[in-house]
Amino acid sequence: MKVYECCGVESVTKKVYCSTCRQEIKNEREVSDKGTVYSFTVIHIAPEEFAHLAPYTVALVQLRDSTAKLTVRIQESVQIGDLVQLEEIKNGTYIYQKVRTA
Amino acid sequence: MTVYVHSVSMTKFGNNENASLKDLMLTASREALDEARDLKIDAVFVGNYMGGSLANQEILGAIVANDLGLGPIPTAKLEGACASGGIALRQGILGILSGEYESVLVVGVEKMKHAPTATVTQFINSAMDQTTNERYAGLTFPGFFGVVANRYFHETGANKSHLAKLALKNRENALQNPLAQFQKPATLEEIMNARMITDPLGLFDCSPITDGAAAVVLSRKPSDIKIAASAQASGPTMMQDAIDLLSLPAIRISGQQAYEKAGVGPEDIDVVEIHDCFSMTEMLAIEELGFFPKLEGWLAIEQGKTRVNGEKPVNTSGGLLSRGHPIGATGVAQFYQLVLQLRGNAPNQLEKRPRLALAQNLGGTGSYSVVHILERV
Ligand SMILES: [Zn+2]
């Protein structure tokens, strides 16, 4: 998992310029794809393209070695604090699985 | 220079089956123009989000100018997701402040009820960054506020019942508003047990799909209500980039700027219309606007402080949750309710006629926020 950093802010999204120093964001590093569930929701009413998956869980994961967070889809039901890890990246989706309950 | 409000109008919100987008827009515009007949309109600003995609109709500004005989004046449509109406108002105000126009018509409109829910949900999702992993994960617009709500519960003593109490307050307010979409009473139990949309948000926690329009005529010629402040700010376009998930910085910043411009503080505001696209959004907004301390909005709800005759009445119209949310019209409809409050003839009119009123209109998952302060002079 790659994170991008400038002026102390880390993000999994690569933006062009830093909003603090206005310079091009150049620092990147590899971090673990493991993390904990920061929060989540179970989506029952989905847009057309995801209707066949509903209900499904979307979680915001706090990455273990970074201040960055990552939005993922997860198969199991989860609670805040559960330990999770990457299962696969499929069609641009980070699909995560639960490793351990909080 | 000062900008004044001369007239406001609003169609019935809800299912306007027999009215087209154009019909709704012209009905609201005509009513506002009729009330301000002595003014010559120099420009038109339309707030609209998905006229093109959902109702297959653009060139809204030119239609208003043509069909209402306003002549060859300049017009524009403004888009900022659910803040489209507030942004149109702000552009009208700035157009007058620049000296270019003396009087402008601002109209907000949306036509949504004719489309299936999954289609509307799909189009609403275009208010999130569609090129990112968040879209592919299947995050929805309501889903964002579901994630926020679960974290809010985790960090505070709040639970689903606090969101339900907030939704119930807005429903009770809508019962007195003849133009509101929902005029059927609801109980706390019914709200708590309603169909889940996105955990923990149920049906009553989410604003409905609505048809409707609202319009305002603004001028530099004096009236009894002036625009004390207009402010706008941007915020993150993705959930994973929020520095603090329980903060909507665009609301905080636009609020602070508006207070500064008007020379007032949150304690001076008598009546408020907030962008409650979800019950959770109103909870965060009452904190970000400085009405209640951070992470304590739920206590204010528990104590009834935002009810009609509470210390800080919020959404006396019924809010987006129960007045309805025709996306591009919402920001303009907030003006409608507040102007009626200042004039003393609103649904749920406050016992003590208010002097200062605040409208906050949000777009995207906190990507846009517009705050206006209106003052009775
Ligand atoms: Zn920087």
Side-chain angles (χ1 to χ4, degrees), chain A residues 5-9 17-25 27:
Chain A
E5 184 274 339
C6 197
C7 293
V9 176
Y17 294 119
C18 166
S19 66
T20 304
C21 70
R22 311 278 168 88
Q23 302 297 306
E24 197 172 338
I25 296 175
N27 301 331

Side-chain angles (χ1 to χ4, degrees), chain A residues 15 39-41 48-49 56 71, chain B residues 119 134 138 147 198-199 241:
Chain A
K15 300 202 174 60
S39 194
F40 68 96
T41 186
E48 274 165 356
E49 61 181 312
Y56 57 93
T71 301
Chain B
T119 307
E134 287 199 343
V147 175
T198 182
D199 174 71
D241 285 343

